[in-house]
Every structure is written in structure tokens, then in C-alpha cells.
Amino acid sequence: MCAFIEKVALFRTIGMRLSYQYNDRMPDAPQIAAPISPADRGTRATVLDAAVAILGGQGLKMGLLEQAAEAAGCPAARARLWFSCDEDLILALYMRLATELEARVPELPVGTLAERFEALMQAKLRLVAPYREAFAALLASLLDPRSPLGVLSD
């Protein structure tokens, strides 16, 4: 169900920018006939923000999607239109952080390629520091061959 997610994570991890249109949904989320309204975009962002708050406080635990939907005042079934599993929330957070990092590239100091790369990595570490436990849990899922997200799974 989340087969596309590990590819997104791997591309983002190595710094490549994916450019695809997903109409504010994860690519493998259930398809809906009508375009997503601005209100639905807001609801998706609210669910993601709630998940970020939960992750910052307790790390990745089972049922993150349901907890985030409840905290956002959104039915879990509706939240599943955008996030099919807990890991989708983590990856949406990572994509948000990657976008924020990309926005900081013009602010990098003038210098050698090595100096600019170091500055970029320092900025990235500052951005992801509050979510280290969540990303560690996600990495464990990606490396587990029994996990549907596992890069070594069937």
C-alpha cells in the first residue's frame, strides 16, 4: 500500500527534487474524483501539523494517523484520503522540511563548494533535529525486510 513511499524518501535523502503533481495527496493515496478544495488542503495541513506536534512530543508510535486526525478534529477516514499510513505523515513532514531547506539555498554563504555544502548540511540538521526520533523510527521501517516499506522487502 505504501510502496511508493520508500522511493520518495530515498530520492529526498540524496537531495534530488521530485517534481510531480499529486494534488496535495501522497501519490499512492486513494484517488478521489473531484479536485481538492482549499478547505481540504487546509484540513490536510492541519492533520500534518497535528502529527508534527505529536511526533515532537512522543516520537513515532502506532496509530499516529488516527491521533493526528483526532487532534485536528478530522475523521480518520477523511485523513486517509491524503495519508494512507503513519509513515505517509512522516514522509510528508520530511518533504515539508526538504522544501524549507531548498528555500534556504539562496541564503547560503558565498564560498567554496565544500563550505556551501557544510552550511547546507548544518541548516538541514537544525531543521530535522526536533524530529530525530521519528526519522530514526522511519529508517528502521525502511530497513526492515518484513515491513511493507522495506527497501529489501518483496
Side-chain angles (χ1 to χ4, degrees), residues 2-14 16 18 20 26-27 91 95 142 148-151 153-154:
C2 298
F4 186 78
I5 294 173
E6 71 271 9
K7 292 179 181 81
V8 172
L10 290 173
F11 281 116
R12 282 296 190 177
T13 300
I14 61 174
M16 297 178 76
L18 295 176
Y20 55 83
M26 293 300 293
L91 291 172
M95 287 197 282
L142 290 173
L149 292 178
V151 294
S153 65
D154 292 331

Side-chain angles (χ1 to χ4, degrees), residues 62-111:
M62 292 296 293
L64 176 63
L65 178 60
E66 289 76 15
Q67 290 177 7
E70 182 179 333
C74 171
R78 186 169 177 207
R80 282 194 185 86
L81 290 174
W82 307 291
F83 310 105
S84 62
C85 58
D86 292 349
E87 288 82 1
D88 284 355
L89 286 165
I90 303 295
L91 291 172
L93 168 62
Y94 192 77
M95 287 197 282
R96 177 189 282 179
L97 293 171
T99 301
E100 288 178 24
L101 183 64
E102 289 171 9
R104 293 181 184 192
V105 169
E107 302 167 6
L108 290 176
V110 176

Side-chain angles (χ1 to χ4, degrees), residues 10-81:
L10 290 173
F11 281 116
R12 282 296 190 177
T13 300
I14 61 174
M16 297 178 76
R17 183 179 180 136
L18 295 176
S19 51
Y20 55 83
Q21 295 295 327
Y22 59 93
N23 201 17
D24 290 335
R25 287 177 282 144
M26 293 300 293
D28 63 340
Q31 299 295 312
I32 57 176
I36 294 180
S37 69
D40 282 343
R41 276 190 209 100
T43 302
R44 179 187 186 275
T46 303
V47 171
L48 181 56
D49 291 341
V52 168
I54 293 167
L55 287 169
Q58 66 186 35
L60 182 61
K61 305 269 192 244
M62 292 296 293
L64 176 63
L65 178 60
E66 289 76 15
Q67 290 177 7
E70 182 179 333
C74 171
R78 186 169 177 207
R80 282 194 185 86
L81 290 174

